Amino acid sequence: MQKPADGRKRVVIESVEPEIDAGRFAIKRIVGDTVTVEADVFADGHDHIAARLLFRFSEIPEWTAVPMQPLGNDRWRAEFPVSRLGEYLYTVSGSIDHFDTWRSDLEKRIAAGQDIAVDLLNGAQLAEQAAGRATRDDADSLRRRAAQLRDSEDLAAAQATALDPVLAALMALYLDPAFESRYERELRVCVDREKARYSAWYEMFPRSASAQPGGHGTFRDVEARLDYVARLGFDVLYLPPIHPIGNSFRKGKNNTPAAEPGDAGSPWAIGSEEGGHTAIHPRLGTLDDFRHLLHSAAQRRIELALDIAFQCSPDHPWVSEHPEWFKRRADGSIQYAENPPKKYQDIYPLDFESPEWPALWDALRDVILFWIHHGVRIFRVDNPHTKAFSFWEWCIAEIKRDYPDALFLSEAFTRPRVMQRLARLGFSQSYTYFTWRNTKQELTDYFTELTQSPLREYLRPNLWPNTPDILPEPLQIGGRAAFIARLVLAATLGPSYGIYGPAFELGEHEPLRPGSEEYLHSEKYEIRDWHLAAPESIAAIISAVNRARHDNSALHANHDLVFHSADNPSLLAYSKASRDGSNVVLTVVNLDYFHTQSGWIDLSLDRLRLAPSDTFQVLDQLTGQRYLWQGPRNYVELSPEKSPAHIFRILRRVRSEKDFDYYQ
Amino acid sequence: MQKPADGRKRVVIESVEPEIDAGRFAIKRIVGDTVTVEADVFADGHDHIAARLLFRFSEIPEWTAVPMQPLGNDRWRAEFPVSRLGEYLYTVSGSIDHFDTWRSDLEKRIAAGQDIAVDLLNGAQLAEQAAGRATRDDADSLRRRAAQLRDSEDLAAAQATALDPVLAALMALYLDPAFESRYERELRVCVDREKARYSAWYEMFPRSASAQPGGHGTFRDVEARLDYVARLGFDVLYLPPIHPIGNSFRKGKNNTPAAEPGDAGSPWAIGSEEGGHTAIHPRLGTLDDFRHLLHSAAQRRIELALDIAFQCSPDHPWVSEHPEWFKRRADGSIQYAENPPKKYQDIYPLDFESPEWPALWDALRDVILFWIHHGVRIFRVDNPHTKAFSFWEWCIAEIKRDYPDALFLSEAFTRPRVMQRLARLGFSQSYTYFTWRNTKQELTDYFTELTQSPLREYLRPNLWPNTPDILPEPLQIGGRAAFIARLVLAATLGPSYGIYGPAFELGEHEPLRPGSEEYLHSEKYEIRDWHLAAPESIAAIISAVNRARHDNSALHANHDLVFHSADNPSLLAYSKASRDGSNVVLTVVNLDYFHTQSGWIDLSLDRLRLAPSDTFQVLDQLTGQRYLWQGPRNYVELSPEKSPAHIFRILRRVRSEKDFDYYQ
């Protein structure tokens, strides 16, 4: 067996965390975060070691070193800040620290009253060797100290020099690289802007935005809707595909196989003679209209998110221009989408096994670049799990290399390993199973997994109580309380969430048929008139919830979500704190949408930054009501009629007699 | 960003288990074992996939493929046998299985009564493509079937061909490699002989083996002791270093700093003018005597284990021949061992930071090869944690390349990460913390960790109730019951264990001073006379315990150690079963060495291969006593005076009236 390049490197570095799949994928952070890194670092024998965390922005070749602190049991920790959009790298190094070993041994020898004459000479040698690696000034300083250590005339002075912290600090700067080991992998951090983590999405169909009943909405109509969306408090407006819709095999209302004349068709059946993925449906407006909408939205601090659905209607220009990008049946026809025995003949999937895959990949990337060049930075990707994983990994990296502010939301309602892979390979946010997690146990388990397991490093959840595809059963039967409760859960359990409106705020709850999660008169297949001013609208509550999110930085992240126990199985209580601990929010939700539920919450006071004897106020961010609480056990009662949820801000300071001047 | 080499490979493979440190280290098995491998294997979309486990012996270039079975949730499993000493490799592949997808879709179409004419043609195409990859006979067979699929005259026959399992089996043989992904790493298995896992060690100082009181024992004396060791039931006889002992700074009795004339010195102060690590202490005998001993031991199925202690006395030949292998102090003297303020001037450590490290590594390897060439295959390595990790990894690999039957026991009583690293880098067995695990909780926790965590894949525990360095407190105070209980624990909690005798069987229990774990009159520093026939010897019990190990294959491995609950905190109950389930052993130990303890054991019957209603016998392997038990709760009483432990073999079959012929 070959010997290693340098067998004298005795330090080993193991179990670096965070590390995903042996460094195959990046962890995710946002600008301004810190990355805390731990590693096992140790050597044979009893020599002291120095462990350092090394990090750099990908475009800067030099590493910055941060000394790691020992946690015991050979575990070390340090952290570094990420201040720029893009990619950072980090790794760990470990050195034998001969000087620190020597210094520590010397102290023991002195304490035992031993003769240290030779030891001082040993130390002088170490200092002289370090001088050979030092800058000129430091080298002078080290040589001067080495001389003092050699001065057998004045042992007391030599001893003082030996233990001088300045010498220790100098020596720590010039560890001998001959004895430094480097961890075998360099690990990556993908640094996004804050919206990657903290965002509130509003999905709407532009074609249903017309002020004229029965009219086809336009981008101008959407522009007119912006103030409404802003009032609701959303900062991402997500539009289903805005492209021309195919005519061949167009679906009719309620997903009937054949459209009637005048039926609008599904926006996901992309492409007609009017163009494909870079064209705009003529009835929505022009590219100029689109840019105007983008601009108007930006003025209201709303970003537009476009839908990326990589599939084609039979009328898409690519079908004739690039037949090699589609699978062919044995009779020469192009293979339509199907899930046998169901057929979706209005959709042709792209063939990721095509021998012409490199050109296909380029074309798909260019679709995204097209919209990026027109100012879009957020993309909600439709069914990414039906396209090749390696395509997404390449495509997202391609885009983010030049546009590190681009964000991609993965709409993969599929098996866990597939969802997780998509998150790891680069998607900024992910749809989740929240949509189907309803009970206290389900919600606690799922959000514990999302926030406490390694998923926390790479999967950023975006929680949707409804989507155009999914009207969950609780919303079908639970009435207004269900809508409010699911809204509060989504908005507070995740820093990112979204609703599909106006169906949501107007309480749309009729399924296509019993047992189905499809909407009756789904907007996927027809234009709807929405009466935004309807009295049943919960718009005001949505505004209040989004205001609570805005006002409480605890709700902008998920790093320390904590569930608190409650003696009533219908009451779910959880809290979050901002990183500096100054903002703490406790949410309590009644999961029973039909009955008033009450009970005692057992708070983990330390996680709320409270001492056991503290008296504290809880201030409901939705109603403005205040309660004075003390200690861990406190009573809560929530009625579906009034409000099924509290979003309490914890006010730790309650005035007491000690606040009066004369008390001092 | 570069596109991947082939973007059409859509299957991903993740989370392969077992895998240690991203494949950096090998897992361990013994000849005859199977390796069970699991992986997450999945692709985008709905295509069916085929996952295969690939394995090969390192010297055979071709992989053998085993189809993996789906476990649900995208997890797959298969296993392979390891039948040869040395190294095996394994990895996982995943393919899109277009034919299986097609066949499953076809069944759904047929069930729905759809027209399948074009689908049959699609299938014919797949069969023809596979024919292009097949052997001539299979290609003919595939083409014939493709023709049948194309036969639109006889749709019923074509449909039968489509669903024919022979066609499916042929197609599974010739998956298109263009759509096959390979896991990015090849993982290693180190396959040892059985003794690597299952062994019983007896440590003794040869110099104390003389039949003459006060005499210096020889290899011939050890030979005379072999029958005794065989009677005790041990199969490894481990001798502390047998080399010449240094005179400079020789330690006296009880580790006094200066030896008296005639003091024997520590065998670990290796080397004198009579030679170093490849020489034999003249008073023990010659190399011929040693080989004779080795041969005599082998006749009794006992293997000799030598001590590898890579350190030198000041008189070792290397000190003058290779001063560059030692650290030098500033005054030119060689650095002796120390742990300031303690000095061990009789020992010079080797300097693994020496610029001449390659020659040093070779010399150390050659020491081991020297003894291998004289027939030794087992080495107990002294303090490996004070030598460079990379040295051991290289050295063990070097030896095992040519001598895959060589075994190395790591004597590293140190921090967990260090012990674990040594086990991973190649040591066959490891000393453990068993020596200091005494309470029910401590033993349960520690052995759960050893047998249920990833440690099980690479750290093979070897349990020692005592060593020449460690007389644990329970043995100092617990008397005969403590010795028997600790013996039973070591012999049944681990498939490998050892005792340092005759100190152990004779109940030697006086510490050097109160609070110390050193033996008074330690054999490390003086020759002892042992009275093997002393009435207090527990030799007969040791024989019985080793016989129970020999007779019960459940005790030869650790893979399904299970702890059973007992309502008395002093009673520890655990079981093991052989891999085929035919042998099951339940051990119960009274951890209170001073009082009789009794209580109810709550057995996990399924882990004992018992049905809830079974009546079963438990047969004590030490006393021959039998008890008839039924159901999970059974009573046990153990008195320190009689026996502090049961080693029960479970006899599942109890005769009943149904065993009589006339009952039939």
Side-chain angles (χ1 to χ4, degrees):
Chain A
M1 191 192 169
Q2 287 268 321
K3 294 193 183 79
D6 191 344
R8 298 183 306 161
K9 293 183 185 297
R10 293 162 45 212
V11 178
V12 297
I13 300 158
E14 299 181 341
S15 303
V16 176
E17 282 180 336
E19 176 183 281
I20 301 173
D21 292 4
R24 169 79 175 76
F25 298 107
I27 63 164
K28 297 191 179 119
R29 291 293 186 274
I30 65 169
V31 168
D33 276 352
T34 54
V35 179
T36 301
V37 178
E38 290 189 9
D40 291 341
V41 188
F42 54 93
D44 63 273
H46 305 292
D47 284 337
H48 291 209
I49 63 168
R52 297 191 303 175
L53 168 63
L54 307 177
F55 73 95
R56 65 184 181 88
F57 187 65
S58 60
E59 292 163 22
I60 297 175
E62 292 79 29
W63 294 97
T64 302
V66 186
M68 298 183 83
Q69 303 305 320
L71 304 176
N73 200 18
D74 293 314
R75 195 84 180 146
W76 297 71
R77 182 193 290 156
E79 60 180 39
F80 67 95
V82 288
S83 53
R84 294 176 62 172
L85 275 185
E87 189 166 275
Y88 280 75
L89 299 171
Y90 62 99
T91 192
V92 171
S93 82
S95 293
I96 299 287
D97 191 337
H98 294 100
F99 181 81
D100 199 55
T101 309
W102 172 84
R103 189 178 188 272
S104 153
D105 286 353
L106 191 77
E107 285 177 335
K108 291 176 198 153
R109 296 181 215 278
I110 292 168
Q114 293 181 348
D115 176 4
I116 57 168
V118 178
D119 300 290
L120 288 170
L121 297 180
N122 287 347
Q125 277 185 356
L126 290 172
E128 277 152 8
Q129 287 160 7
R133 298 184 289 269
T135 62
R136 199 205 218 137
D137 282 358
D138 287 347
D140 290 348
S141 177
L142 284 163
R143 291 203 180 90
R144 202 166 55 244
R145 286 178 164 82
Q148 287 163 2
L149 292 174
R150 289 191 184 286
D151 182 4
S152 54
E153 302 290 297
D154 190 349
L155 264 181
Q159 182 172 318
T161 299
L163 303 180
D164 177 4
V166 176
L167 177 58
L170 276 170
M171 292 297 289
L173 279 181
Y174 301 106
L175 290 168
D176 190 344
F179 304 110
E180 180 181 18
S181 303
R182 181 71 73 84
Y183 183 56
E184 56 219 44
R185 292 186 277 276
E186 292 177 2
L187 307 171
R188 296 181 293 134
V189 192
C190 169
V191 182
D192 288 310
R193 58 198 173 109
E194 193 190 15
K195 199 157 266 173
R197 183 158 71 204
Y198 169 57
S199 57
W201 293 50
Y202 186 78
E203 174 174 6
M204 63 172 281
F205 284 77
R207 67 186 183 187
S208 294
S210 172
Q212 309 304 320
H216 192 293
T218 66
F219 289 144
R220 284 178 189 275
D221 294 322
V222 176
E223 231 176 293
R225 188 71 62 82
L226 286 173
D227 283 331
Y228 171 80
V229 175
R231 225 159 35 233
L232 288 182
F234 293 99
D235 55 13
V236 178
L237 176 60
Y238 151 47
L239 308 180
I242 58 173
H243 316 299
I245 294 172
N247 293 298
S248 304
F249 297 98
R250 177 178 283 196
K251 299 284 188 191
K253 287 176 177 140
N254 286 317
N255 198 20
T256 47
E260 304 283 322
D263 274 353
S266 162
W268 284 274
I270 293 169
S272 75
E273 61 279 9
E274 288 151 333
H277 284 78
T278 54
I280 287 176
H281 193 296
R283 301 202 58 182
L284 289 175
T286 65
L287 199 51
D288 277 344
D289 293 339
F290 178 75
R291 278 197 297 256
H292 198 273
L293 167 61
L294 206 63
H295 182 71
S296 296
Q299 288 178 322
R300 290 163 180 84
R301 300 182 170 277
I302 294 174
E303 268 192 81
L304 250 54
L306 284 195
D307 195 303
I308 293 293
F310 282 144
Q311 56 194 20
C312 298
S313 97
D315 310 321
H316 194 291
W318 284 350
V319 175
S320 52
E321 292 167 13
H322 293 287
E324 71 278 11
W325 293 349
F326 301 89
K327 255 201 171 73
R328 230 160 247 288
R329 286 157 56 85
D331 63 355
S333 65
I334 288 182
Q335 179 65 60
Y336 44 81
E338 52 178 351
N339 185 9
K342 286 192 222 155
K343 303 177 177 187
Y344 307 97
Q345 288 165 296
D346 58 332
I347 301 289
Y348 287 173
L350 292 156
D351 179 16
F352 285 82
E353 291 181 349
S354 163
E356 303 303 320
W357 64 271
L360 171 62
W361 285 24
D362 286 340
L364 298 178
R365 174 203 53 196
D366 290 346
V367 166
I368 298 173
L369 282 178
F370 175 90
W371 293 107
I372 286 206
H373 295 152
H374 287 99
V376 181
R377 286 292 183 279
I378 308 186
F379 301 92
R380 176 272 196 193
V381 178
D382 188 73
N383 284 339
H385 57 292
T386 60
K387 288 91 193 171
F389 293 111
S390 52
F391 162 71
W392 289 121
E393 185 172 19
W394 169 82
C395 179
I396 293 173
E398 276 279 291
I399 304 286
K400 295 194 81 162
R401 185 190 52 192
D402 295 325
Y403 302 95
D405 56 343
L407 301 179
F408 296 86
L409 167 61
S410 160
E411 187 246 11
F413 285 119
T414 180
R415 307 188 307 283
R417 296 294 166 265
V418 176
M419 290 179 62
Q420 292 161 14
R421 180 85 183 185
L422 289 163
R424 267 176 297 173
L425 58 77
F427 279 92
S428 324
Q429 297 188 349
S430 305
Y431 282 56
T432 68
Y433 302 143
F434 165 74
T435 311
W436 299 280
R437 294 293 178 273
N438 290 296
T439 67
K440 184 171 177 169
Q441 191 67 48
E442 284 170 353
L443 289 162
T444 304
D445 288 351
Y446 188 53
F447 283 88
T448 299
E449 185 191 0
L450 286 177
T451 59
Q452 305 303 320
S453 82
L455 286 173
R456 65 187 281 162
E457 301 294 348
Y458 63 84
L459 190 142
R460 297 196 189 103
N462 190 328
L463 313 182
W464 291 73
N466 74 329
T467 78
D469 293 313
I470 311 165
L471 172 64
E473 208 165 23
L475 298 187
Q476 296 179 24
I477 62 172
R480 177 184 169 90
F483 278 80
I484 297 171
R486 295 295 295 173
L487 172 80
V488 169
L489 288 167
T492 57
L493 277 172
S496 282
Y497 87 109
I499 60 170
Y500 151 54
F504 190 84
E505 63 264 31
L506 297 180
E508 183 87 352
H509 64 278
E510 288 289 341
L512 180 59
R513 55 178 166 271
S516 166
E517 286 188 333
E518 286 285 341
Y519 278 94
L520 182 65
H521 300 303
S522 167
E523 276 188 288
K524 291 191 291 186
Y525 310 105
E526 63 187 280
I527 294 171
R528 294 285 302 271
D529 289 322
W530 296 109
H531 304 286
L532 299 185
E536 66 270 23
S537 172
I538 60 168
I541 292 163
I542 295 173
S543 297
V545 168
N546 279 332
R547 203 176 312 115
R549 283 167 51 90
H550 179 269
D551 293 347
N552 290 280
S553 61
L555 299 176
H556 300 186
N558 244 6
H559 59 277
D560 76 340
L561 176 67
V562 186
F563 290 93
H564 301 266
S565 67
D567 58 5
N568 180 330
S570 292
L571 294 181
L572 180 71
Y574 50 92
S575 68
K576 294 183 184 181
S578 61
R579 210 164 271 279
D580 66 0
S582 65
N583 180 254
V584 182
V585 171
L586 170 72
T587 305
V588 188
V589 181
N590 176 4
L591 302 174
D592 177 351
Y593 309 133
F594 307 102
H595 308 96
T596 296
Q597 295 288 348
S598 62
W600 293 85
I601 312 290
D602 243 315
L603 298 171
S604 306
L605 291 176
D606 56 325
R607 302 303 296 272
L608 299 176
R609 303 345 190 226
L610 293 167
S613 60
D614 279 356
T615 298
F616 55 100
Q617 271 185 40
V618 296
L619 171 59
D620 192 323
Q621 303 292 290
L622 303 180
T623 62
Q625 286 175 307
R626 290 166 190 265
Y627 302 85
L628 207 57
W629 284 2
Q630 192 187 26
R633 271 176 82 76
N634 293 282
Y635 180 80
V636 169
E637 179 176 307
L638 289 164
S639 93
E641 294 78 34
K642 281 188 250 166
S643 172
H646 289 303
I647 302 178
F648 287 132
R649 181 192 295 184
I650 307 279
L651 299 175
R652 262 159 295 173
R653 195 78 198 303
V654 175
R655 285 199 160 265
S656 79
E657 70 282 7
K658 296 177 192 164
D659 289 315
F660 287 96
D661 282 344
Y662 54 76
Y663 188 92
Q664 307 301 323
Chain B
M1 189 195 171
Q2 285 270 319
K3 293 194 183 79
D6 191 346
R8 297 184 305 162
K9 293 184 185 297
R10 294 160 45 212
V11 179
V12 297
I13 300 159
E14 299 180 340
S15 303
V16 176
E17 283 180 332
E19 176 183 282
I20 300 173
D21 292 4
R24 168 80 174 75
F25 298 106
I27 63 164
K28 295 190 180 120
R29 291 295 185 274
I30 65 167
V31 168
D33 275 354
T34 55
V35 180
T36 301
V37 178
E38 290 190 9
D40 292 341
V41 188
F42 54 92
D44 63 274
H46 304 292
D47 285 336
H48 290 209
I49 62 167
R52 296 191 306 174
L53 168 63
L54 306 177
F55 73 96
R56 65 182 181 88
F57 187 65
S58 60
E59 292 164 20
I60 297 175
E62 292 79 31
W63 293 97
T64 302
V66 186
M68 299 183 84
Q69 304 304 319
L71 304 176
N73 199 18
D74 292 313
R75 194 85 180 143
W76 298 70
R77 180 193 290 158
E79 59 181 39
F80 67 96
V82 288
S83 52
R84 294 176 62 172
L85 275 185
E87 189 166 275
Y88 279 75
L89 299 171
Y90 62 98
T91 191
V92 172
S93 82
S95 293
I96 300 287
D97 191 338
H98 292 101
F99 180 81
D100 199 55
T101 309
W102 171 85
R103 189 177 187 270
S104 152
D105 286 352
L106 192 77
E107 286 177 333
K108 291 176 197 152
R109 295 181 215 280
I110 292 168
Q114 292 179 347
D115 177 5
I116 58 169
V118 178
D119 299 292
L120 289 171
L121 297 179
N122 286 347
Q125 277 185 356
L126 290 173
E128 278 152 7
Q129 286 161 6
R133 297 185 291 270
T135 62
R136 200 207 219 138
D137 282 356
D138 287 348
D140 290 348
S141 177
L142 284 162
R143 291 205 179 91
R144 203 166 53 241
R145 285 179 164 80
Q148 287 163 3
L149 292 173
R150 287 190 185 286
D151 182 4
S152 55
E153 300 292 296
D154 189 351
L155 263 181
Q159 183 173 315
T161 299
L163 303 180
D164 178 5
V166 176
L167 177 57
L170 276 169
M171 293 298 290
L173 280 180
Y174 301 106
L175 292 168
D176 191 344
F179 303 111
E180 180 181 18
S181 304
R182 183 71 73 84
Y183 183 57
E184 55 219 42
R185 291 186 278 278
E186 294 178 2
L187 308 171
R188 296 182 293 133
V189 191
C190 169
V191 181
D192 287 311
R193 57 196 171 111
E194 194 190 13
K195 197 157 268 172
R197 183 157 71 205
Y198 169 57
S199 57
W201 293 50
Y202 187 78
E203 174 175 6
M204 63 173 279
F205 284 78
R207 67 186 183 186
S208 294
S210 172
Q212 308 305 320
H216 192 292
T218 65
F219 289 142
R220 284 176 191 275
D221 294 321
V222 176
E223 230 176 295
R225 186 71 63 83
L226 287 173
D227 283 329
Y228 171 80
V229 175
R231 227 162 30 236
L232 288 182
F234 293 99
D235 55 13
V236 178
L237 176 60
Y238 151 48
L239 308 180
I242 58 174
H243 315 300
I245 295 171
N247 293 297
S248 305
F249 297 99
R250 177 177 283 197
K251 299 284 188 190
K253 287 178 179 140
N254 286 317
N255 199 19
T256 47
E260 305 284 320
D263 274 352
S266 162
W268 284 274
I270 293 171
S272 74
E273 61 278 7
E274 289 150 333
H277 284 78
T278 53
I280 287 177
H281 194 296
R283 300 202 58 184
L284 289 174
T286 65
L287 198 52
D288 277 342
D289 294 338
F290 178 74
R291 276 197 299 256
H292 199 274
L293 166 62
L294 205 64
H295 181 70
S296 295
Q299 287 178 321
R300 290 164 180 83
R301 299 182 170 277
I302 294 173
E303 270 192 78
L304 249 55
L306 284 195
D307 195 302
I308 294 292
F310 281 144
Q311 57 193 17
C312 299
S313 95
D315 310 321
H316 194 290
W318 284 351
V319 175
S320 52
E321 293 167 12
H322 293 287
E324 72 277 12
W325 293 348
F326 301 88
K327 256 202 169 74
R328 230 160 248 288
R329 286 156 56 86
D331 63 355
S333 64
I334 289 183
Q335 177 66 59
Y336 45 80
E338 52 176 352
N339 185 10
K342 287 191 223 158
K343 302 178 179 187
Y344 307 96
Q345 288 165 295
D346 57 334
I347 301 288
Y348 286 174
L350 292 156
D351 179 16
F352 284 82
E353 291 180 350
S354 164
E356 303 303 321
W357 63 272
L360 171 62
W361 285 24
D362 287 340
L364 298 177
R365 175 204 53 196
D366 290 345
V367 166
I368 297 174
L369 282 178
F370 175 89
W371 294 107
I372 286 207
H373 294 151
H374 286 98
V376 180
R377 285 293 182 280
I378 308 186
F379 301 92
R380 176 271 196 193
V381 178
D382 189 74
N383 284 337
H385 57 291
T386 59
K387 288 91 194 172
F389 294 110
S390 52
F391 163 71
W392 290 120
E393 185 172 19
W394 169 84
C395 179
I396 294 174
E398 276 278 291
I399 303 286
K400 295 195 80 162
R401 185 189 53 192
D402 296 324
Y403 302 95
D405 56 343
L407 301 179
F408 297 86
L409 166 61
S410 159
E411 188 245 10
F413 286 118
T414 180
R415 308 187 306 282
R417 298 290 166 267
V418 176
M419 290 179 64
Q420 292 161 16
R421 179 86 181 184
L422 290 164
R424 268 175 298 173
L425 59 77
F427 278 92
S428 323
Q429 298 188 347
S430 305
Y431 281 57
T432 69
Y433 302 144
F434 165 74
T435 312
W436 299 280
R437 295 293 178 272
N438 291 297
T439 68
K440 184 170 174 169
Q441 191 67 48
E442 284 170 353
L443 288 163
T444 304
D445 289 351
Y446 188 53
F447 282 88
T448 298
E449 185 193 359
L450 286 178
T451 59
Q452 305 302 322
S453 82
L455 286 174
R456 64 186 283 161
E457 301 293 349
Y458 63 84
L459 189 143
R460 297 196 190 104
N462 191 330
L463 314 181
W464 291 73
N466 75 328
T467 77
D469 292 313
I470 312 166
L471 171 64
E473 207 165 25
L475 298 188
Q476 296 180 23
I477 61 171
R480 178 184 170 89
F483 278 80
I484 297 172
R486 295 296 294 175
L487 172 82
V488 168
L489 288 166
T492 58
L493 277 172
S496 284
Y497 88 108
I499 60 171
Y500 151 54
F504 190 84
E505 64 264 30
L506 298 181
E508 183 86 355
H509 64 276
E510 289 288 343
L512 180 60
R513 56 178 165 271
S516 167
E517 286 188 333
E518 287 283 343
Y519 278 93
L520 182 65
H521 299 304
S522 167
E523 275 188 288
K524 292 191 289 186
Y525 309 105
E526 63 187 282
I527 294 171
R528 294 284 301 270
D529 288 321
W530 297 108
H531 304 285
L532 299 184
E536 67 270 22
S537 171
I538 59 167
I541 292 164
I542 295 174
S543 295
V545 168
N546 279 331
R547 203 175 312 116
R549 282 168 52 90
H550 178 270
D551 293 348
N552 291 281
S553 61
L555 299 176
H556 301 185
N558 244 5
H559 60 276
D560 77 339
L561 176 67
V562 186
F563 289 93
H564 302 267
S565 67
D567 59 4
N568 179 329
S570 291
L571 293 182
L572 180 70
Y574 50 93
S575 68
K576 293 183 183 180
S578 61
R579 209 164 271 279
D580 66 0
S582 65
N583 181 253
V584 182
V585 170
L586 170 71
T587 305
V588 188
V589 181
N590 175 4
L591 302 174
D592 177 351
Y593 310 133
F594 306 102
H595 308 95
T596 296
Q597 294 288 349
S598 61
W600 292 86
I601 312 291
D602 244 315
L603 298 171
S604 307
L605 290 177
D606 56 323
R607 302 302 296 271
L608 300 176
R609 295 4 183 216
L610 292 168
S613 62
D614 280 354
T615 298
F616 55 100
Q617 272 184 38
V618 296
L619 171 59
D620 192 322
Q621 304 291 289
L622 302 180
T623 61
Q625 284 175 307
R626 290 167 191 266
Y627 302 85
L628 206 58
W629 284 4
Q630 193 187 26
R633 271 177 82 76
N634 293 283
Y635 180 80
V636 169
E637 180 176 306
L638 288 164
S639 92
E641 294 78 32
K642 281 188 251 165
S643 172
H646 289 303
I647 303 178
F648 286 132
R649 181 192 293 183
I650 307 279
L651 299 174
R652 264 161 292 173
R653 194 76 198 304
V654 174
R655 285 195 162 267
S656 80
E657 68 284 8
K658 296 176 194 164
D659 289 315
F660 285 97
D661 283 345
Y662 54 74
Y663 188 91
Q664 307 299 327

